[in-house]
Amino acid sequence: YEITYGDWSSDVCSSDLSQEFKRKKIERMYDQNNIFAKILRGEIPCDKIYEDKYTLAFKDINPQAKVHVLVIPKGAYVDMNDFSANAKSEEIEGLIRALGKVAGILGVSASGYRYLGNNGRDGGQEVPHLHFHIFGGEKLGRMIHK
Ligand code: 5GP
């Protein structure tokens, strides 16, 4: 999937109507059949760690560290571009608070962990529903491998 956001930066109209148009434009690009949408609808099982009104956290099916959990918003957001521009304040707060809570549930708050979000093509994002990875339970090495 490919999303172009650049053209919006030239927008001069900041009316509510314009915001609504942008939101709808993104909604149409959200793939309702991506794997995390199916997990949220209960069509595919997951190993749930935490759930609240705005967020679901579950174990990654292909763990890259001793602890590897995914934290996702329940709302239909493709990526951070979409979420940061279109999510309601309570959804943004909910996701960030959930990240801290999940780290606590996983027992890595004190030992440390890494939260990571792959975004778009260069970020290597594979599933087009916003998600944060939480890695921990061991030393994680350097930030980026090349
Ligand atoms: P991305 O590369 O998009 O940041 O990460 C997607 C992650 O989703 C990968 O780490 C992958 O292992 C995980 N994943 C893909 N399909 C499933 C699934 O069906 N269930 C779970 N629990 N994780 C999945």
Side-chain angles (χ1 to χ4, degrees):
Y1 69 103
E2 194 79 40
I3 296 177
T4 308
Y5 292 87
D7 54 339
W8 295 353
S9 62
S10 60
D11 256 340
V12 285
C13 175
S14 61
S15 71
D16 286 346
L17 204 63
S18 163
Q19 292 300 324
E20 184 65 9
F21 172 73
K22 286 179 185 175
R23 198 175 59 74
K24 289 210 165 120
K25 187 171 173 181
I26 284 181
E27 261 172 20
R28 280 202 297 276
M29 291 169 175
Y30 179 83
D31 171 13
Q32 295 290 347
N33 286 319
N34 78 76
I35 202 90
F36 294 168
K38 289 181 180 176
I39 286 175
L40 283 167
R41 290 196 296 266
E43 294 165 13
I44 290 177
C46 73
D47 202 340
K48 186 160 78 177
I49 298 289
Y50 173 79
E51 181 175 12
D52 63 25
K53 188 174 173 189
Y54 300 111
T55 315
L56 177 69
F58 52 92
K59 288 186 184 171
D60 195 292
I61 205 167
N62 182 22
Q64 304 294 307
K66 281 187 182 153
V67 170
H68 185 177
V69 164
L70 300 166
V71 185
I72 70 173
K74 287 189 171 175
Y77 299 102
V78 176
D79 57 15
M80 187 54 80
N81 299 333
D82 184 5
F83 190 71
S84 62
N86 299 300
K88 297 191 187 92
S89 302
E90 55 263 37
E91 292 179 294
I92 294 170
E93 178 178 350
L95 184 62
I96 298 296
R97 291 205 189 277
L99 279 165
K101 279 186 197 161
V102 170
I105 291 166
L106 296 170
V108 296
S109 298
S111 52
Y113 55 95
R114 177 169 298 152
Y115 49 92
L116 178 100
N118 294 320
N119 209 86
R121 185 195 57 211
D122 285 357
Q125 182 180 3
E126 286 174 3
V127 179
H129 179 111
L130 176 67
H131 51 281
F132 279 102
H133 299 257
I134 294 185
F135 301 103
E138 61 184 308
K139 289 261 188 198
L140 294 166
R142 293 186 57 78
M143 274 196 291
I144 290 178
H145 296 284
K146 288 205 171 178

